[in-house]
Amino acid sequence: MLVLLQNLDLAMLLLLLVSMKILVLSLKSRHTFAFGSPDIIPIFCSALPHSTWNSYPHEYEDFATDASFLDEWSFDQFEGLLNRSHADPKLKELLHQDKLVVFLHLLGCDSNGHAHRPYSSIYLNNVKVVDKIAERVYHLLEDYYRDNRTSYIFTADHGMSDKGSHGDGHPTNTDTPLVAWGAGIQYPKPASGNSHSDSVTTFVDKHAHDMPTPYDWGLRRVERVDVNQADIAPLMSTLLGLPCPVNSVGNLPLGYMKLNEAEEVEAVVANTKQILNQLLRKSYIKSSNSLFFKPFKPLVHHSFSLSQIDELISAKSYEAAMKLAVDLRNLSLEGLHYFQTYDWLMLMTVITLGYTGWMIVLALHVLQCYSSLSGDLSKKEHLSVQKKDSGKVYISGCLLMAILSVLNLVEHSPPLYHAYIGMTVFLWTQIFSEYRLIRGLWKYLRERRADYFIKLLFAAAVAVVIVELLVHSFTERKLYTWFFLIAGVVASILLHFSIPWRSGIPVFVCISCWFLSVFTLMPAEIPDNNNLVITSGAIIIVISLAAKWLDTHAEGNKFWQSITFHESRTQMCSMLYCIQIFLVGVSSVMVFLSTKHRTQNQELHSSHQFINWLVAGSSMVLPLFSANGILSRLSSIFLGFAPPFLLLSIGYEAVFYSALAVVLMAWILFENASHHSSKVKESSLSENNTEEHITIGSDERYLQLSDVRIPLVFMVLFNVAFFGTGNFASIASFEISSVYRFITIFSPFLMAALLIFKLFIPFMLVICAFSAITKLVRVPRLGCYFLVILFSDIMTIHFFFLVKNTGSWMEIGNSISHFGIVSAQVVFVLLLFALTNLYTRSIRIKPLSTSPSLKTL
């Protein structure tokens, strides 16, 4: 019988590493007994007819309490099972059969680590509880069976950082204990000079794992045998006398097995054949469907190697047989990787062509619909329409798509392959159908003067630098610090020359950028600081009061009229403003009260929970009824999202909210100054240059080359909202304690929704400011959004080539996360645009006037 004690929760991303092995073993075992969490145990046992399991209610998983009683509950269930067998002959007979698996899921350490941190007294006490349970389980089984045929494996699926988080590739999260004893387990060996040895050639993450054995364990004199986590599956299978799980890629750790030389060879050969059969199955599937199949050459004659191993075993040449079996196993693992990446080159090519085609289509669409280029080409007769030629292009594209689809069907390719290839062909067909526009564009560029190309190259260089900065900021957040330090100086200098009078605006812009630059130097794991959160509420109120004063007293000034314009002022707007200030104050008080009561009484008071939900929900509705001037509406939105953000904050991220809002205000002031100076210049232009200011409609003008700055600045601020208070690409950056003022009973979907909502609040501010700026400078918001997509796709292609499938778990996971985040960014930015449109669609700016006279501040 095998007893597996798991003393940490099963993390979502690591579920396949240990948990699925337990499931496979449960499927192959004669019977499985499992007790523990209602989120884990049913996954393994609900569909197994040969299983006995039970789980506690969801309400028990309360992060405000001491969760060690959950571990006691699991043990009590198992102890009760053994006690009942004395009065139940059938149960006793079942318990005395072979190939049994007992799984006790001990969740307490994980819950207490998240809620109270690993160095808290509650967590340390839970560690003692787990140790005691391991001892009680051992004595309970030994007294029950009295046959010395039970194996014990004590392990964990992940570790935990000092902040109580896990999920990334840090050694504190990936290095876990593995202690095995009992039947079939090798006795420990005295420690050699290195204090521990590796029973595998290399670790799967290619990194050295030298985490020292804790001194308190009293095992410093015993040699430590380190293994990959995947190796536990064949270890458990061999101890039970069961075949290895079908999809296991683990190597049997012989350092744990008590076997003679012949048995060791037989066990390794069985492990090798299991991995080899995976390879042969993948090779068969690929060869039967591929028109041009390329086998894995090193194992073309694998049957000869197997015959050699059998001959060596028959001749009792165990050492040679072992070496040949291990070599064959390593080659099989290489072959699995070969077939897993068999279509890599084809997919990389198709996807790269697809992204490139999509970016070209976007660029052509923006040039046609949101710039004056199409009109210029028509005037100069560079553009003509011939539908017959376009029809030929579409017919050719359809024919090519049909041929490629037939080839994919013959090879039984997955549906996604059809989608990738079909979309790529479609995009490039669209591009070639616009060949007359491309040719006209080429002629148009050839006629331009040298200064135009200098401006074009300068704009392209700035765009490339910013996009590359954004790419590298995913791994080095400090780049944002340098960016805002430089941006503050450059913007203030430009404003100094744009505003022809003495003004404090350049100083304000510089200081706000420098203030925001501090946050990307902060640790990604946010330390708890309730006093800072409460103080942030006061900072938010001060900022809103300053904005209110400016909105009231600067309306008559020509420079401010675009952002302080109001169609009407009502008493309700003033009352609404006071209510919003009051809700911010209430949320700050509730931060203090909720945290204090939960800490002292280990529970979330129901009245506090109700008030928090009420304040957070109602505050987000109020901005819809605020005044429709730019400054009034954006200030109301800032106040509206402040209460939920404060209630979801635990430290310096609450101050970041105010810092981001101040920088957004600085961005609006910069664009307002640029727009104001352009109106002054426009009034002094001769009628010969009016073609540069052609409008799409009464409220919008065509995009110009200088307008590229708007989507670029938006992307920088949008990504700062991601990384300003942590690293969104790392699971460890999700601080679950952020939701404890709303819910403490474990509810993964609601907790995840609250965490994601907290991340989205800064994005909402950025997008609202972006929408307001497009109205302020009268450029088409949709055209700017298409430029955001274009730049995002450039980043996506870059991250696509940085995706790794080798290296440490952190390197692999982060590379995939980065690509996924940037790929999804386009979609959820569009969704947030639709959501923020509820708040910004009614914003009004002062109608265009013909006399932009100045009034000195």
Side-chain angles (χ1 to χ4, degrees):
M1 183 175 70
L2 175 69
V3 178
L4 178 65
L5 300 175
Q6 188 155 352
N7 71 329
L8 284 180
D9 185 24
L10 295 130
M12 289 294 183
L13 290 183
L14 298 179
L15 196 60
L16 296 176
L17 296 180
V18 170
S19 309
M20 293 309 296
K21 296 162 191 170
I22 298 169
L23 176 59
V24 172
L25 288 175
S26 299
L27 288 169
K28 294 187 175 182
S29 64
R30 191 179 302 278
H31 201 87
T32 296
F33 298 93
F35 306 101
S37 168
D39 304 298
I40 301 301
I41 300 300
I43 296 176
F44 298 142
C45 300
S46 59
L48 290 179
H50 57 282
S51 64
T52 301
W53 59 277
N54 195 11
S55 60
Y56 40 77
H58 280 280
E59 293 75 20
Y60 284 16
E61 298 181 3
D62 191 342
F63 285 99
T65 63
D66 182 354
S68 60
F69 77 96
L70 301 179
D71 300 341
E72 294 283 2
W73 185 94
S74 298
F75 174 78
D76 291 342
Q77 293 292 310
F78 179 58
E79 185 178 35
L81 176 75
L82 297 183
N83 292 335
R84 289 198 307 273
S85 69
H86 296 300
D88 187 343
K90 290 185 178 180
L91 178 58
K92 188 170 186 177
E93 181 183 359
L94 178 62
L95 286 169
H96 279 80
Q97 292 181 351
D98 60 354
K99 299 180 181 179
L100 295 182
V101 172
V102 178
F103 177 39
L104 303 185
H105 182 251
L106 310 182
L107 181 64
C109 282
D110 187 81
S111 296
N112 283 329
H114 286 312
H116 308 290
R117 306 295 184 268
Y119 286 103
S120 64
S121 59
I122 293 177
Y123 180 87
L124 296 176
N125 176 71
N126 203 153
V127 172
K128 295 179 181 179
V129 170
V130 170
D131 287 345
K132 194 66 177 177
I133 287 176
E135 180 183 5
R136 291 161 67 189
V137 166
Y138 171 75
H139 289 300
L140 186 66
L141 290 174
E142 291 302 309
D143 291 341
Y144 185 83
Y145 288 103
R146 301 180 182 275
D147 58 1
N148 296 322
R149 295 182 58 195
T150 302
S151 300
Y152 303 87
I153 294 179
F154 184 91
T155 188
D157 63 318
H158 60 73
M160 185 169 283
S161 68
D162 293 346
K163 283 291 296 177
S165 60
H166 57 76
D168 61 22
H170 193 273
T172 57
N173 295 332
T174 58
D175 288 357
T176 58
L178 175 59
V179 183
W181 72 96
I185 304 296
Q186 179 69 271
Y187 290 114
K189 299 178 181 179
S192 59
N194 295 327
S195 78
H196 70 275
S197 64
D198 299 336
S199 64
V200 292
T201 305
T202 181
F203 288 105
V204 293
D205 59 4
K206 310 296 183 185
H207 282 206
H209 290 254
D210 295 319
M211 181 80 69
T213 303
Y215 183 80
D216 295 341
W217 288 13
L219 299 175
R220 287 297 183 94
R221 297 182 179 180
V222 177
E223 183 181 71
R224 199 175 85 193
V225 182
D226 290 352
V227 300
N228 287 310
Q229 200 167 38
D231 301 339
I232 301 176
L235 173 63
M236 293 190 292
S237 301
T238 305
L239 289 171
L240 285 170
L242 295 173
C244 293
V246 174
N247 294 312
S248 171
V249 292
N251 296 322
L252 178 64
L254 292 176
Y256 283 84
M257 304 295 299
K258 187 179 181 180
L259 303 171
N260 58 40
E261 194 174 14
E263 291 170 340
E264 283 185 350
V265 174
E266 291 290 349
V268 171
V269 169
N271 183 204
T272 300
K273 288 181 178 179
Q274 172 263 324
I275 298 175
L276 177 62
N277 284 330
Q278 288 186 66
L279 166 71
L280 296 178
R281 178 61 182 171
K282 289 182 180 292
S283 176
Y284 171 76
I285 293 173
K286 185 57 66 175
S287 63
S288 59
N289 296 328
S290 298
L291 295 176
F292 308 99
F293 176 68
K294 296 180 180 179
F296 183 62
K297 294 181 179 179
L299 287 180
V300 172
H301 304 293
H302 65 275
S303 56
F304 176 73
S305 299
L306 290 174
S307 300
Q308 277 189 308
I309 293 172
D310 291 337
E311 292 175 1
L312 290 171
I313 293 175
S314 300
K316 297 185 178 182
S317 299
Y318 299 124
E319 184 176 351
M322 177 69 76
K323 184 179 182 304
L324 195 56
V326 170
D327 291 342
L328 182 59
R329 183 176 62 186
N330 293 336
L331 283 176
S332 299
L333 291 172
E334 292 178 16
L336 283 176
H337 180 265
Y338 170 80
F339 284 110
Q340 287 167 355
T341 58
Y342 188 85
D343 296 323
W344 179 84
L345 181 60
M346 182 271 290
L347 290 175
M348 288 280 286
T349 304
V350 170
I351 293 173
T352 302
L353 287 174
Y355 271 107
T356 305
W358 170 241
M359 288 186 287
I360 295 174
V361 168
L362 275 178
L364 292 176
H365 178 71
V366 171
L367 290 173
Q368 277 186 300
C369 300
Y370 301 102
S371 75
S372 59
L373 178 65
S374 182
D376 292 341
L377 293 180
S378 297
K379 290 178 182 179
K380 296 180 180 181
E381 298 181 352
H382 288 323
L383 185 62
S384 60
V385 180
Q386 291 189 10
K387 295 184 177 179
K388 292 182 180 180
D389 293 338
S390 298
K392 293 179 182 179
V393 173
Y394 284 120
I395 292 173
S396 301
C398 292
L399 183 62
L400 177 60
M401 189 181 297
I403 294 172
L404 294 176
S405 297
V406 170
L407 291 176
N408 280 325
L409 289 172
V410 171
E411 293 195 346
H412 299 281
S413 298
L416 279 178
Y417 285 25
H418 293 267
Y420 294 149
I421 295 174
M423 183 57 67
T424 300
V425 173
F426 170 77
L427 290 171
W428 281 96
T429 301
Q430 287 293 110
I431 293 170
F432 284 115
S433 69
E434 299 288 349
Y435 76 96
R436 291 191 176 277
L437 172 64
I438 298 171
R439 188 174 63 181
L441 177 61
W442 174 251
K443 291 181 179 179
Y444 175 80
L445 291 175
R446 290 176 61 185
E447 295 175 358
R448 305 297 287 185
R449 294 186 302 178
D451 60 338
Y452 179 83
F453 287 101
I454 293 174
K455 293 179 181 179
L456 186 63
L457 290 174
F458 178 76
V462 171
V464 169
V465 169
I466 292 178
V467 168
E468 286 301 306
L469 178 142
L470 293 175
V471 169
H472 289 90
S473 68
F474 274 64
T475 54
E476 189 56 59
R477 294 167 58 233
K478 294 179 182 178
L479 288 174
Y480 287 117
T481 299
W482 288 105
F483 176 85
F484 281 103
L485 288 174
I486 297 172
V489 174
V490 173
S492 61
I493 293 174
L494 292 176
L495 285 173
H496 177 74
F497 291 104
S498 298
I499 303 176
W501 61 85
R502 293 185 63 183
S503 172
I505 294 177
V507 177
F508 169 76
V509 171
C510 184
I511 293 175
S512 61
C513 289
W514 285 7
F515 181 39
L516 186 63
S517 69
V518 174
F519 290 90
T520 47
L521 297 175
M522 299 285 191
E525 293 183 347
I526 304 171
D528 292 343
N529 193 333
N530 271 344
N531 293 331
L532 193 58
V533 178
I534 296 169
T535 304
S536 300
I539 296 174
I540 290 171
I541 293 174
V542 170
I543 293 173
S544 62
L545 288 173
K548 182 69 174 177
W549 181 89
L550 182 63
D551 190 36
T552 304
H553 292 82
E555 186 176 5
N557 188 285
K558 296 295 183 181
F559 178 80
W560 296 95
Q561 62 183 1
S562 296
I563 62 175
T564 59
F565 171 76
H566 295 274
E567 290 182 342
S568 63
R569 287 184 181 271
T570 63
Q571 187 68 24
M572 188 187 75
C573 293
S574 299
M575 290 181 58
L576 181 68
Y577 175 78
C578 294
I579 292 173
Q580 289 188 292
I581 292 288
F582 173 73
L583 290 178
V584 173
V586 170
S587 63
S588 298
V589 173
M590 293 309 301
V591 166
F592 172 75
L593 294 178
S594 299
T595 305
K596 181 179 179 181
H597 185 273
R598 180 176 58 84
T599 304
Q600 292 179 350
N601 302 300
Q602 294 190 4
E603 67 173 357
L604 175 62
H605 199 284
S606 57
S607 62
H608 293 170
Q609 186 179 25
F610 174 76
I611 294 173
N612 292 342
W613 280 103
L614 180 64
V615 169
S618 59
S619 66
M620 292 183 292
V621 180
L622 297 180
L624 296 173
F625 305 99
S626 63
N628 56 9
I630 288 181
L631 188 56
S632 298
R633 178 56 60 90
L634 292 182
S635 298
S636 182
I637 293 170
F638 170 64
L639 286 172
F641 284 100
F645 195 81
L646 287 175
L647 291 169
L648 287 167
S649 298
I650 62 171
Y652 71 80
E653 80 272 33
V655 184
F656 171 80
Y657 180 78
S658 299
L660 180 64
V662 171
V663 168
L664 292 175
M665 184 62 199
W667 184 24
I668 292 173
L669 293 177
F670 180 87
E671 293 296 340
N672 184 50
S674 175
H675 178 60
H676 190 78
S677 62
S678 68
K679 287 199 297 182
V680 174
K681 292 179 181 179
E682 180 182 343
S683 64
S684 62
L685 287 175
S686 63
E687 294 182 359
N688 296 331
N689 294 326
T690 55
E691 66 179 15
E692 295 295 330
H693 304 278
I694 300 173
T695 59
I696 299 175
S698 59
D699 295 328
E700 291 180 347
R701 61 172 174 80
Y702 281 122
L703 288 172
Q704 300 174 13
L705 185 60
S706 60
D707 295 325
V708 173
R709 72 183 183 278
I710 297 175
L712 286 174
V713 173
F714 168 79
M715 289 187 64
V716 172
L717 293 172
F718 194 85
N719 281 274
V720 167
F722 262 129
F723 298 104
T725 58
N727 181 3
F728 180 77
S730 171
I731 299 300
S733 295
F734 287 92
E735 183 53 64
I736 196 171
S737 61
S738 298
V739 307
Y740 289 167
R741 299 185 189 104
F742 292 95
I743 183 173
T744 56
I745 296 175
F746 182 64
S747 177
F749 295 107
L750 180 57
M751 287 180 167
L754 287 171
L755 288 172
I756 293 173
F757 174 68
K758 177 187 175 183
L759 289 170
F760 277 8
I761 289 177
F763 303 158
M764 300 280 283
L765 293 186
V766 176
I767 294 175
C768 287
F770 174 78
S771 300
I773 286 172
T774 57
K775 291 193 174 188
L776 176 66
V777 299
R778 303 179 187 277
V779 294
R781 187 177 70 160
L782 196 57
C784 289
Y785 171 68
F786 285 141
L787 291 177
V788 170
I789 296 178
L790 181 62
F791 294 130
S792 296
D793 286 334
I794 295 174
M795 293 175 61
T796 304
I797 280 290
H798 195 136
F799 281 121
F800 179 65
F801 285 101
L802 293 177
V803 171
K804 298 180 179 180
N805 58 0
T806 58
S808 70
W809 295 122
M810 178 181 287
E811 292 169 346
I812 297 172
N814 282 355
S815 68
I816 296 173
S817 297
H818 295 166
F819 173 68
I821 288 170
V822 180
S823 299
Q825 190 178 84
V826 174
V827 178
F828 66 71
V829 166
L830 179 61
L831 296 176
L832 290 175
F833 264 124
L835 182 60
T836 55
N837 190 52
L838 296 173
Y839 295 96
T840 59
R841 64 185 176 186
S842 60
I843 288 179
R844 296 291 182 266
I845 59 174
K846 189 174 180 60
L848 291 170
S849 61
T850 57
S851 57
S853 58
L854 297 175
K855 180 178 179 180
T856 304
L857 285 176

